Amino acid sequence: MDRAFEFLRRYIGRGGALALVLLVGLTLCGPTAGEARSRGMHELNYFQTSEVEVDGRAATRVEIGLDRDNLSYTVAVAKEQPDTLQITMQKTRRGDVQADIPVRRQEVHGVQFTALDNRTLVVSIQTTHKALQADDYRVRVLPRERRKRLPYRLVIEVLHPAAPTVQTVDGVAGHTVVLDAGHGGSDVGAIGPHRVTEASVTLPVTQAVRDILTASGAEVAMTRDTDVDVYGPGASDRDELQARVDVGVRTPGAEVFVSIHCNAFSNPGAHGMETYYYPKTDADYRLAQLLNEELAQAGGRFNRGVKEARFYVMRHSAMPASLVELAFITNPAEERLLADHDYQQKVAAAIARGIGRFFGGAAK
């Protein structure tokens, strides 16, 4: 080593040798930023969020600036946090970007950067989705845009949930239907062994029937579309039931009345669905029969049949009317089904199809 420096001193002078010694010392102390770049390390230098549209769908965009191109990364949903998207970037360090960034966007509420080691960085995107699916997000790298003074960017777009597709049925367009969600308000109805109430089932099912019928061109009147007493708190049973019938009386051109309920019995083994009618017109039985057929096919429950009864809302409605018992809320297995959103949608579609058939249509 001494001979090498002596050789350099003779040929480049004392100043050059000193500069070389300093250069060697800096090299031993660690890489400079320029050397890090030359070794392929990426550094983050920019962060921004915005609301955009992706393939006709609203989305929240997260942009993370990079000082160079050719980023190597992988994308996955966090195993223990299904609402969180994780992008693992190789040969990357955080740079001047904050480690933990709160975000107040519609689909993103936080972004964190975590270094796994000195060459691997993970960005975690916390979303409002309960469980991210592959079609809920897009990830890509955008090129630098010199004119806009934008760097290379890792872009993550979290799409807003797609609007649910409402089913339709034939035959109901131009017709008017009255739907009655049983119980509500101060009257929760029957209660299951796991505390599911009848009123908490009948309202969403009835609302789903309404949505299908209105999407199909029908006019729909609801005796209630929130968790309320129809007549008012403290009313007698007769006043409450008459208030429901009165909705049909006040609805111009109302043609059928369908009341939706859950059954109950002291024996938890009682199970199945059934429909009821009161024979005041030639069409009451037919309405109950068609509803029964559709529910039996769609719901998968034991069919207890079509039965005649003197329920107040059926007897006092001038139009054809039927009361539907979806299943026994006092049966533990059927209680679980009645509380399930997908099952509620299934039986709602069956009721809508039955009404469509009553008016002479076939299901779509």
Side-chain angles (χ1 to χ4, degrees):
M1 180 69 74
D2 290 341
R3 289 182 178 180
F5 279 114
E6 179 62 23
F7 173 81
L8 289 169
R9 187 185 66 77
R10 288 180 180 179
Y11 286 93
I12 64 175
R14 292 182 179 180
L18 181 59
L20 182 62
V21 170
L22 290 172
L23 180 60
V24 171
L26 288 172
T27 301
L28 293 175
C29 290
T32 64
E35 290 174 313
R37 285 193 294 271
S38 68
R39 293 180 183 182
M41 287 290 291
H42 295 75
E43 188 169 273
L44 309 186
N45 56 19
Y46 169 88
F47 181 88
Q48 179 175 295
T49 62
S50 59
E51 296 295 331
V52 298
E53 188 173 289
V54 178
D55 298 330
R57 230 172 120 182
T60 296
R61 174 183 286 177
V62 176
E63 294 184 23
I64 302 168
L66 304 163
D67 64 346
R68 60 188 298 151
D69 200 1
N70 300 318
L71 177 68
S72 176
Y73 64 92
T74 58
V75 182
V77 176
K79 291 182 179 179
E80 304 300 325
Q81 297 174 289
D83 64 341
T84 300
L85 188 66
Q86 292 185 328
I87 298 93
T88 302
M89 298 176 282
Q90 305 300 326
K91 297 182 181 180
T92 305
R93 57 190 180 189
R94 182 164 51 85
D96 294 332
V97 176
Q98 296 179 27
D100 192 341
I101 303 176
V103 177
R104 291 178 176 84
R105 291 288 182 180
Q106 188 163 342
E107 297 304 319
V108 175
H109 56 80
V111 177
Q112 290 82 39
F113 296 90
T114 306
L116 296 186
D117 52 47
N118 61 1
R119 294 174 66 82
T120 308
L121 187 69
V122 176
V123 55
S124 299
I125 312 291
Q126 296 176 338
T127 77
T128 57
H129 290 250
K130 291 183 179 180
L132 284 164
Q133 305 298 320
D135 61 350
D136 290 332
Y137 56 86
R138 307 281 188 273
V139 181
R140 65 189 189 280
V141 174
L142 293 182
R144 181 168 55 187
E145 297 182 54
R146 295 181 184 276
R147 290 184 179 180
K148 295 182 180 180
R149 297 183 179 180
L150 292 174
Y152 298 103
R153 284 149 291 153
L154 175 67
V155 174
I156 303 101
E157 291 161 337
V158 182
L159 281 69
H160 298 192
T165 302
V166 178
Q167 300 180 55
T168 59
V169 292
D170 284 334
V172 300
H175 292 282
T176 302
V177 177
V178 180
L179 298 177
D180 174 39
H183 306 279
S186 61
D187 176 16
V188 299
I191 303 175
H194 297 98
R195 312 308 296 172
V196 176
T197 66
E198 184 175 2
S200 70
V201 174
T202 60
L203 182 59
V205 171
T206 308
Q207 290 171 329
V209 178
R210 173 201 62 196
D211 293 345
I212 296 170
L213 294 179
T214 55
S216 305
E219 294 291 330
V220 178
M222 300 273 285
T223 60
R224 68 180 184 96
D225 54 14
T226 58
D227 186 23
V228 295
D229 299 270
V230 178
Y231 184 92
S236 66
D237 289 345
R238 187 185 183 285
D239 284 342
E240 175 66 13
L241 293 172
Q242 184 60 45
R244 294 168 189 262
V245 172
D246 289 344
V247 172
V249 173
R250 294 193 302 267
T251 301
E255 297 167 84
V256 295
F257 185 105
V258 177
S259 187
I260 298 173
H261 289 258
C262 304
N263 222 333
F265 194 62
S266 57
N267 181 355
H271 63 286
M273 48 71 56
E274 55 196 3
T275 58
Y276 288 89
Y277 73 102
Y278 179 73
K280 62 182 185 299
T281 76
D282 294 337
D284 288 88
Y285 174 78
R286 179 169 174 268
L287 175 62
Q289 181 184 35
L290 293 172
L291 291 171
N292 183 276
E293 290 175 3
E294 292 294 336
L295 282 168
Q297 183 175 353
R301 298 292 89 203
F302 171 68
N303 188 354
R304 300 169 66 92
V306 180
K307 300 178 180 180
E308 182 180 334
R310 294 178 56 82
F311 295 134
Y312 190 99
V313 293
M314 296 190 306
R315 287 190 296 119
H316 290 83
S317 294
M319 68 199 79
S322 178
L323 187 145
V324 170
E325 297 281 9
L326 299 173
F328 278 77
I329 202 166
T330 48
N331 179 297
E334 295 195 339
E335 178 193 28
R336 285 192 294 271
L337 277 177
L338 290 167
D340 181 75
H341 172 78
D342 290 341
Y343 190 79
Q344 291 175 357
Q345 297 297 310
K346 185 182 296 185
V347 294
I351 292 170
R353 286 194 298 270
I355 295 171
R357 287 177 61 191
F358 178 82
F359 290 125
K364 286 185 180 178

